[in-house]
């Protein structure tokens, strides 16, 4: 059974985590970038789960394989590359989170552009409680989203935060009452973005992603607009 499923409706593509509880076994890290290569003419991508968003890395399937191979980086780099591929998608990526969003699941949504959740959502980085360090990009991306102090709180305590805390921290920009309302809002937002000029969305994402020093960033934005207005 595949761990992700990609569907299309109009200009919106939806990537659904289909493994039980949205877990991420070894196959996930191959299937995720494969799915991203099939976005086609989609202008917006929604990332969501089924029964919950994601229970994170399938530790029972992953750690024994890493230990047996004896090649830690050979096993972990494809996981890092997969989430880097999400961050590098040129169209807007909306994460729609309901239920638990744990560990690698939180690192996945940190690689997205916009994040919405339902009122029952919970977010955590529990790696420290397993004697590990979060190593799939969360510690690099989250400070730019919620700040260094709040990232430090998540990473050092491993404790979860609820939906309203996530909203007050800026991790999500909207909390919907139910998962059904969440998915409807994500689709409405995707439709709204799909109506905007794709080249402007791409350029805006690029400027935000590269986060160049102030003067260079101003020049980058200006050069993009100069090219667009020719």
């Amino acid at each position: 059974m595949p761990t992700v499923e990609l569907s299309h409706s109009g200009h919106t593509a939806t990537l659904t985590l289909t493994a039980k509880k949205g877990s991420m076994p070894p196959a996930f890290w191959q299937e995720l970038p494969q799915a991203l290569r099939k976005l086609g003419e989609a202008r917006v991508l929604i990332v969501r789960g089924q029964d919950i968003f994601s229970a994170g890395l399938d530790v029972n399937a992953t750690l024994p394989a890493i230990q047996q191979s004896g090649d830690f980086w050979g096993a972990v780099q494809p996981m890092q590359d997969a989430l880097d591929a999400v961050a590098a998608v040129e169209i807007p990526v909306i994460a729609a989170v309901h239920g638990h969003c744990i560990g690698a699941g939180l690192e996945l949504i940190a690689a997205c552009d916009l994040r919405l959740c339902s009122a029952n959502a919970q977010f955590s980085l529990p790696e420290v409680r397993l004697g590990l360090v979060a190593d799939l990009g969360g510690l690099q991306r989250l400070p730019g989203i919620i700040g260094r102090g709040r990232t430090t709180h998540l990473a050092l305590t491993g404790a979860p935060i609820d939906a309203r805390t996530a909203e007050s921290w800026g991790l999500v920009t909207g909390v919907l009452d139910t998962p059904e309302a969440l998915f409807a809002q994500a689709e409405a937002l995707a439709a709204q973005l799909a109506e905007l000029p794709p080249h402007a969305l791409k350029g805006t994402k690029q400027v935000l992603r590269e986060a160049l020093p102030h003067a260079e960033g101003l020049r980058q934005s200006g050069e993009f607009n100069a090219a667009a207005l020719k």
Side-chain angles (χ1 to χ4, degrees):
M1 179 179 176
T3 62
V4 297
E5 178 180 285
L6 185 69
S7 60
H8 291 80
S9 177
H11 291 302
T12 300
T14 299
L15 182 79
T16 304
L17 281 60
T18 55
K20 185 177 180 181
K21 296 184 182 297
S23 66
M24 302 171 174
F28 174 83
W29 306 105
Q30 299 175 0
E31 294 172 4
L32 174 59
Q34 290 171 359
L36 296 177
R37 290 194 287 269
K38 298 176 182 177
L39 290 173
E41 299 301 314
R43 294 185 180 181
V44 185
L45 173 64
I46 297 172
V47 179
R48 54 161 290 179
Q50 289 185 318
D51 47 348
I52 63 171
F53 184 78
S54 178
L57 186 70
D58 186 338
V59 174
N60 291 334
T62 303
L63 292 188
I66 293 175
Q67 292 167 339
Q68 184 175 6
S69 73
D71 181 6
F72 178 82
W73 285 114
V76 172
Q77 283 183 329
M79 303 180 197
Q80 297 173 337
D81 291 345
L83 297 194
D84 284 348
V86 175
V89 169
E90 294 185 342
I91 61 176
V93 182
I94 303 168
V97 179
H98 73 297
H100 292 288
C101 180
I102 300 172
L106 179 50
E107 295 186 281
L108 168 58
I109 71 166
C112 299
D113 302 302
L114 297 166
R115 289 158 293 276
L116 304 171
C117 73
S118 59
N120 70 341
Q122 286 197 339
F123 306 83
S124 63
L125 277 180
E127 283 82 353
V128 69
R129 299 188 177 198
L130 302 174
L132 300 170
V133 175
D135 61 359
L136 301 183
L139 300 185
Q140 289 69 43
R141 295 188 176 99
L142 284 169
I145 301 169
I146 61 174
R148 181 179 177 85
R150 287 165 173 164
T151 300
T152 301
H153 177 89
L154 282 173
L156 291 185
T157 68
I161 60 171
D162 62 18
R164 292 301 174 186
T165 301
E167 183 181 36
S168 70
W169 285 11
L171 179 60
V172 300
T173 54
V175 178
L176 288 302
D177 289 339
T178 65
E180 293 75 19
L182 165 68
F183 300 139
Q185 179 62 24
E187 290 168 5
L189 178 58
Q192 176 185 344
L193 292 174
E195 293 298 317
L196 298 174
H199 70 281
L201 293 173
K202 176 182 176 181
T204 300
K205 279 199 61 167
Q206 180 179 336
V207 172
L208 287 168
R209 181 173 60 241
E210 294 181 5
L212 296 174
H214 183 75
E216 294 177 49
L218 290 177
R219 183 174 183 83
Q220 181 187 34
S221 301
E223 288 176 347
F224 176 88
N225 286 335
L229 294 172
K230 283 184 177 178

